[in-house]
Amino acid sequence: MSIDRKIHYCWFGKNPKPDSVLQYLEGWKRKLPKYEIIEWNESNFDIDVCKYVREAYDSKKYAFVSDYARLLALYNHGGIYLDTDVEVRNNLDPLLKTGKLTFGFEELNFIATSTIIAPKSSAFIKQFLDSYHARSFISSTGELDTSTNVQALTRLLEDIGLEKNGRYQRLRFEGEDIIILEQDRLSPFDYINYHDRSSANTYTVHHFSNSWAGANSLRKSKIKKIIGKNNLRILRKIFS
């Protein structure tokens, strides 16, 4: 059964969207005119859904609120989740027609969370959601849990047989098929070495624009762009 043509994205914090985000949203509309686009924010998402989310929100770490909100949206409604700095390159209908939960590699060793395709009521998405209910965002010593959802997702998939090799895989969880696509399909941009591995088969590109990030992260991103991908690889070899 095909997954509904719905795109979910999150925007918490009540700040105006920067032009870069608005441009990505317009790009979705141009590429996918028949898709319903749904924004999740304070007006339609319960910030008190669990302790982790409440603490992340109070700490103004809205990206971590989004980590939970995207999963809840996909579990309740099905569809596609996109980060607000994801570019759509090709029509996503082929991914929906499979009816299967689909992820893609971000690097050889990690699975991306910037683009997720999920049927409604996915058992694996429910397990991922429930894992947040046992967590706190703020520890007893006041430290923030800034471990990423990419790390959490990769661990959960490893538990059911994921091989961290960047290759296409099919996994099973409680009778549910899970598809893992190669890196060039959903997240071809190598943000570490500033290299784009896009191909004719690329559906989406996560540009790692850090729209949620602080000034320090944004500065690092700009420095990478100024240095350039080839020079950056040379510098890494020299100092590694």
Side-chain angles (χ1 to χ4, degrees):
M1 184 176 179
S2 181
I3 296 169
D4 289 342
R5 287 173 167 170
K6 295 180 179 179
I7 294 177
H8 305 276
Y9 76 96
C10 298
W11 193 258
F12 292 97
K14 302 180 181 179
N15 293 318
K17 297 181 183 72
D19 289 342
S20 59
V21 169
L22 295 175
Q23 288 171 9
Y24 285 120
L25 297 183
E26 286 302 314
W28 302 351
K29 294 174 185 177
R30 286 194 304 271
K31 284 284 187 180
L32 306 168
K34 296 181 180 180
Y35 282 55
E36 178 186 5
I37 299 177
I38 305 168
E39 176 182 314
W40 296 94
N41 55 45
E42 292 87 345
S43 70
N44 58 3
F45 173 79
D46 182 8
I47 298 299
D48 290 309
V49 65
C50 69
K51 182 180 180 182
Y52 176 94
V53 170
R54 179 79 251 182
E55 291 180 342
Y57 187 82
D58 289 344
S59 302
K60 298 185 179 180
K61 299 295 185 180
Y62 304 122
F64 296 94
V65 177
S66 167
D67 290 352
Y68 186 96
R70 75 188 66 186
L71 297 175
L72 189 61
L74 290 172
Y75 182 77
N76 286 336
H77 303 279
I80 297 173
Y81 168 81
L82 297 178
D83 272 357
T84 53
D85 54 356
V86 166
E87 174 192 358
V88 175
R89 291 271 179 91
N90 283 305
N91 191 288
L92 304 179
D93 283 359
L95 300 177
L96 299 180
K97 288 177 181 177
T98 69
K100 300 184 187 307
L101 178 60
T102 303
F103 301 101
F105 276 96
E106 181 174 279
E107 293 291 335
L108 289 178
N109 296 326
F110 290 101
I111 304 300
T113 56
S114 51
T115 299
I116 303 173
I117 300 90
K120 185 179 179 180
S121 303
S122 161
F124 183 83
I125 293 294
K126 181 64 163 57
Q127 182 202 36
F128 198 178
L129 265 176
D130 288 347
S131 70
Y132 283 91
H133 292 208
R135 295 171 60 181
S136 295
F137 187 72
I138 304 175
S139 73
S140 58
T141 59
E143 295 180 56
L144 304 184
D145 177 5
T146 56
S147 57
T148 69
N149 59 355
V150 168
Q151 294 169 318
L153 172 60
T154 303
R155 283 195 299 268
L156 288 173
L157 290 171
E158 278 188 278
D159 289 343
I160 58 172
L162 174 73
E163 295 183 27
K164 297 197 292 185
N165 57 17
R167 298 175 184 170
Y168 176 92
Q169 295 170 51
R170 294 175 71 103
L171 307 174
R172 293 277 287 178
F173 178 78
E174 295 185 0
E176 177 180 24
D177 287 324
I178 302 174
I179 303 299
I180 311 295
L181 299 177
E182 303 92 331
Q183 186 187 354
D184 70 315
R185 301 309 201 265
L186 302 182
S187 189
F189 185 68
D190 178 351
Y191 66 95
I192 296 174
N193 296 301
Y194 204 69
H195 180 65
D196 190 351
R197 294 189 172 92
S198 297
S199 72
N201 299 314
T202 296
Y203 289 102
T204 59
V205 179
H206 184 205
H207 287 282
F208 297 91
S209 299
N210 291 326
S211 58
W212 303 93
N216 190 46
S217 294
L218 291 172
R219 279 195 294 270
K220 288 180 181 178
S221 179
K222 289 178 180 178
I223 289 169
K224 286 183 179 181
K225 291 181 181 180
I226 292 169
I227 292 173
K229 63 185 181 183
N230 293 325
N231 291 333
L232 189 60
R233 282 198 290 271
I234 293 170
L235 288 172
R236 287 186 184 280
K237 288 181 181 179
I238 292 173
F239 293 104
S240 61

